[in-house]
Amino acid sequence: MMVTRTCWFVLVTRTFWFVLVTRTCWFVLVTRTCWFMLGIAGDQDLLVYAGDQDMLVIAGVGGGNDFQWCFSQVKGAIDEDVAEADNTSLLSERELRLGPRSQAVVICVVKESEACIGAGVSVFPMACVVEVRGTVAANDHLPCLFVCLFVCLFVPADIISTVEFNYSGELLATGDKGGRVVIFQRELESKNRPLSRGEYNVYSTFQSHEPEFDYLKSLEIEEKINKIRWLPQQNAAHFLLSTNDKTIKLWKISERDKRAEGYNLKDEDGRLRDPFRITTLRASFKERSLIPIVSPPQVPVLMPMDLMVEASPRRIFANAHTYHINSISVNSDHETYLSADDLRINLWHLEITDRSFNIVDIKPANMEELTEVITAAECHPHQCNVFVYSSSKGTIRLCDMRAAALCDRHSKFFEEPEDPSSRSFFSEIISSISDVKFSHSGRYMMTRDYLSVKVWDLNMENRPVETYQVHEYLRSKLCSLYENDCIFDKFECCWNGSDSAIMTGSYNNFFRMFDRNTRRDITLEASRENSKPRAMLKPRKVCTGGKRKKDEISVDSLDFNKKILHTAWHPKENVIAVAATNNLYIFQDKIN
């Protein structure tokens, strides 16, 4: 709605609504998670109000316990963590700068007769700059002339959305919400410090996916990287699969330290020669002379150059999923892989991009009869015909592709009976499985729901053999967690190389580790306070009630904006990678 005489302007979308009243110079912006309000009186007084539920900010112009874990590295914006719902602001007359902790509002303000305005927002490691150009006419109705108001809402692009070691553990890949993939390589151990192990440094960075728009369905496709999966190394190059909501890409990461020189088909400046004028191979010429040397014809040679790491897309697998892709898994035959969305699972061949085989389809004829969706899928590490997929009802189905082409009928069905006395409004939500992983041996599988991690024996379907409570103290907070949507967070889990320990994330940047042999557990924290070289990680404890001890933290003091959703464990060593919003923490066991 827009009324030109009274200068009212209303903009309503699915994600936010915005109201502009120029006569009184008030601006209101409301989103699902926060609200912004700007009031301007006269030519210089500006007030900014930013709120998140009950918070108000006002600004004026101006593995187990058998070994100890220690800090190794942190990668990312260590100056300040990103919290998507946190809001801080610093507004000047020319620009409004918001740090990486907040969503952004960019406001362009000028006085009469000024011809150009601009404002910028800086977010690590990328920058977003907004510039508006135009002429300004006088307006007697407004005490302060506003040429343009630009509102930019975004989620920081450097929030890590997936973490994955390769098969050897020498490479570590991360994907973020901006569609970027960053690969870290482990450096060789130093001869001067034989007890110290190599650190992970940036090896390659490339843009895997770009934002797209489906015009037929009027659907915006985000560039966020949902999953990364490495392929076993077969030669000098490395290959990985990355996916966003709709498109899967196969990337080749290779090194080049030589370049070809002396082409017969190209001039010295690199331009192609006319093929009709090439009758013989080039002869070598004397320096600064056109007199040919009596020598054999010239052939291209390889000359040394600075090492360059190239990332090139080898295959693009698209147009096969109607719903958002939540899982990809490379098969043990190293030729095929699975991709799963909310209702279907497809089987792909790595060399074929124009077609895939649909092996699971749970979409009902009438969508009103839909009762569950697929949440994760995983291939068996040794049997290429076996895979599992989990559902939002807390069930796991094991399928054998030898039984039928369409695996709608499962071979095994894993479900733990529910205790009727403990059933509540949130029972179905917290029982939804967010991740499923086979053990390296293939004998067990691990599932993660909202409150616990369960280990299942593939030979026993009626109940899990092990159950570990991750944050049982949050059961009394489910109502507030439902209101702030945290109850829908999807935590991942991972095994160590020997399947003797498991790890998963929690809130307040806590992550939990469970030793399967001793049944002991530990809670650790990924924070900048412990980011000193070789600093020991102190176990953390959460106090649920009563008198709190010195080293404990109250459950009411937990920060639910800081959460560890993505973790990875080195396949051969006790090295773990933990993604805490926009920071990647790397820890290793203590070496005496």
Side-chain angles (χ1 to χ4, degrees):
M1 179 180 69
M2 181 175 183
V3 184
T4 57
R5 183 62 180 172
T6 57
C7 296
W8 274 86
F9 178 78
V10 178
L11 174 63
V12 180
T13 71
R14 292 186 298 177
T15 56
F16 68 91
W17 63 271
F18 170 69
V19 180
L20 169 65
V21 187
T22 55
R23 179 89 179 167
T24 56
C25 298
W26 276 97
F27 303 89
V28 179
L29 172 65
V30 179
T31 71
R32 291 180 297 178
T33 57
C34 58
W35 58 270
F36 295 91
M37 183 167 59
L38 171 65
I40 297 157
D43 293 336
Q44 296 182 353
D45 297 333
L46 295 94
L47 288 177
V48 174
Y49 300 86
D52 177 14
Q53 297 177 353
D54 297 331
M55 182 182 65
L56 178 64
V57 178
I58 303 178
V61 178
N65 293 337
D66 293 337
F67 49 83
Q68 293 178 309
W69 291 91
C70 64
F71 172 81
S72 177
Q73 292 174 267
V74 58
K75 304 290 185 180
I78 62 174
D79 294 335
E80 195 170 13
D81 290 331
V82 169
E84 297 179 46
D86 194 7
N87 302 284
T88 57
S89 59
L90 176 62
L91 178 66
S92 65
E93 185 176 343
R94 295 286 302 194
E95 61 183 353
L96 174 65
R97 296 189 180 274
L98 294 176
R101 294 181 61 88
S102 62
Q103 294 177 330
V105 178
V106 183
I107 302 179
C108 306
V109 181
V110 293
K111 296 182 179 180
E112 297 182 10
S113 303
E114 190 165 353
C116 178
I117 58 176
V121 175
S122 180
V123 178
F124 180 88
M126 304 288 288
C128 173
V129 178
V130 179
E131 185 176 2
V132 181
R133 297 181 181 274
T135 58
V136 178
N139 192 329
D140 297 332
H141 298 286
L142 299 180
C144 180
L145 180 62
F146 292 85
V147 177
C148 176
L149 174 65
F150 179 79
V151 180
C152 176
L153 291 176
F154 69 95
V155 176
D158 55 334
I159 292 181
I160 298 174
S161 56
T162 183
V163 182
E164 187 77 8
F165 280 101
N166 72 337
Y167 282 78
S168 66
E170 297 304 307
L171 297 179
L172 173 63
T174 65
D176 60 26
K177 290 191 174 183
R180 294 183 297 269
V181 172
V182 181
I183 301 177
F184 301 92
Q185 183 185 46
R186 197 176 194 183
E187 300 296 332
L188 298 177
E189 296 183 3
S190 174
K191 296 181 180 179
N192 299 329
R193 301 171 60 192
L195 294 180
S196 66
R197 283 167 288 182
E199 296 183 346
Y200 285 87
N201 295 321
V202 175
Y203 179 64
S204 177
T205 303
F206 58 92
Q207 188 72 28
S208 175
H209 288 73
E210 299 283 354
E212 301 176 11
F213 189 82
D214 189 338
Y215 292 95
L216 295 178
K217 299 180 180 179
S218 297
L219 180 66
E220 184 179 356
I221 303 174
E222 295 181 349
E223 65 271 31
K224 170 191 170 186
I225 305 297
N226 292 338
K227 293 291 180 181
I228 290 177
R229 290 293 181 265
W230 289 93
L231 274 65
Q233 187 177 6
Q234 305 292 342
N235 49 42
H238 299 273
F239 291 85
L240 63 82
L241 290 168
S242 64
T243 181
N244 64 351
D245 289 339
K246 297 293 183 180
T247 305
I248 307 168
K249 295 184 180 181
L250 174 64
W251 290 89
K252 177 183 178 181
I253 296 91
S254 57
E255 297 180 355
R256 189 171 64 166
D257 58 355
K258 293 181 175 62
R259 67 173 182 269
E261 292 185 356
Y263 284 104
N264 287 280
L265 303 180
K266 294 182 180 179
D267 293 328
E268 298 299 331
D269 56 1
R271 291 182 300 177
L272 291 174
R273 299 173 60 195
D274 187 356
F276 295 102
R277 297 184 179 180
I278 302 176
T279 56
T280 59
L281 295 178
R282 281 185 176 179
S284 300
F285 291 87
K286 290 183 178 180
E287 185 179 1
R288 298 182 182 179
S289 174
L290 296 179
I291 302 175
I293 302 176
V294 181
S295 63
Q298 177 180 339
V299 294
V301 294
L302 293 176
M303 301 296 293
M305 59 175 289
D306 294 337
L307 179 64
M308 181 173 61
V309 181
E310 295 179 324
S312 56
R314 308 299 293 177
R315 303 283 188 275
I316 298 179
F317 309 89
N319 304 322
H321 285 277
T322 305
Y323 307 96
H324 291 177
I325 299 173
N326 54 49
S327 301
I328 54 175
S329 179
V330 180
N331 212 333
S332 59
D333 59 11
H334 303 158
E335 293 183 352
T336 58
Y337 72 93
L338 298 179
S339 62
D341 62 23
D342 295 334
L343 298 179
R344 296 186 179 95
I345 299 178
N346 294 334
L347 178 66
W348 298 83
H349 194 284
L350 289 170
E351 299 294 333
I352 302 174
T353 61
D354 58 350
R355 63 183 181 273
S356 63
F357 295 97
N358 179 237
I359 56 177
V360 173
D361 189 349
I362 66 171
K363 181 180 180 181
N366 184 4
M367 287 296 289
E368 294 181 357
E369 300 175 358
L370 182 67
T371 59
E372 61 180 341
V373 295
I374 299 171
T375 56
E378 180 88 352
C379 292
H380 193 277
H382 305 302
Q383 302 177 26
C384 61
N385 54 284
V386 176
F387 68 96
V388 296
Y389 68 93
S390 59
S391 78
S392 57
K393 278 191 171 182
T395 61
I396 310 102
R397 293 172 173 84
L398 185 143
C399 301
D400 192 336
M401 287 184 282
R402 297 174 300 181
L406 187 61
C407 301
D408 286 342
R409 296 183 178 180
H410 49 267
S411 300
K412 292 188 176 184
F413 184 78
F414 300 85
E415 183 180 20
E416 184 178 21
E418 183 183 7
D419 184 5
S421 62
S422 62
R423 182 170 181 81
S424 66
F425 171 79
F426 307 105
S427 296
E428 187 172 342
I429 300 176
I430 63 177
S431 65
S432 176
I433 295 175
S434 58
D435 194 18
V436 57
K437 293 284 176 60
F438 277 108
S439 63
H440 295 86
S441 64
R443 172 68 184 274
Y444 302 96
M445 67 178 176
M446 172 174 53
T447 60
R448 170 68 202 266
D449 55 41
Y450 188 69
L451 294 178
S452 63
V453 174
K454 299 174 182 178
V455 178
W456 302 77
D457 190 327
L458 296 187
N459 298 325
M460 188 169 69
E461 306 173 38
N462 57 346
R463 61 182 177 86
V465 293
E466 302 166 23
T467 300
Y468 302 97
Q469 300 299 330
V470 179
H471 38 220
E472 183 65 19
Y473 47 79
L474 294 181
R475 188 175 292 274
S476 61
K477 303 289 184 181
L478 293 180
C479 185
S480 58
L481 292 169
Y482 178 80
E483 293 177 354
N484 60 18
D485 287 344
C486 286
I487 199 172
F488 301 104
D489 287 335
K490 299 182 181 301
F491 293 93
E492 297 178 1
C493 52
C494 61
W495 301 84
N496 71 337
S498 61
D499 299 333
S500 61
I502 57 181
M503 176 175 61
T504 188
S506 182
Y507 293 104
N508 205 70
N509 277 0
F510 289 168
F511 59 96
R512 302 266 285 151
M513 306 179 75
F514 304 93
D515 191 318
R516 299 182 60 209
N517 297 326
T518 62
R519 295 302 176 96
R520 289 185 293 179
D521 62 89
I522 188 173
T523 301
L524 302 174
E525 182 182 7
S527 67
R528 295 192 304 274
E529 297 177 359
N530 301 324
S531 58
K532 297 180 181 180
R534 316 299 296 175
M536 298 298 302
L537 295 186
K538 297 180 180 180
R540 303 302 304 270
K541 293 184 179 180
V542 178
C543 176
T544 57
K547 187 175 181 181
R548 182 170 59 91
K549 297 181 181 179
K550 180 180 179 181
D551 296 334
E552 293 182 342
I553 181 173
S554 173
V555 65
D556 297 322
S557 302
L558 296 177
D559 189 349
F560 294 104
N561 291 321
K562 295 181 179 180
K563 61 193 76 173
I564 293 180
L565 303 178
H566 315 286
T567 59
W569 203 313
H570 193 287
K572 300 178 181 179
E573 301 178 16
N574 284 322
V575 177
I576 58 175
V578 174
T581 54
N582 62 329
N583 293 328
L584 178 67
Y585 292 87
I586 300 176
F587 304 97
Q588 61 186 14
D589 59 323
K590 179 70 174 179
I591 299 180
N592 296 324

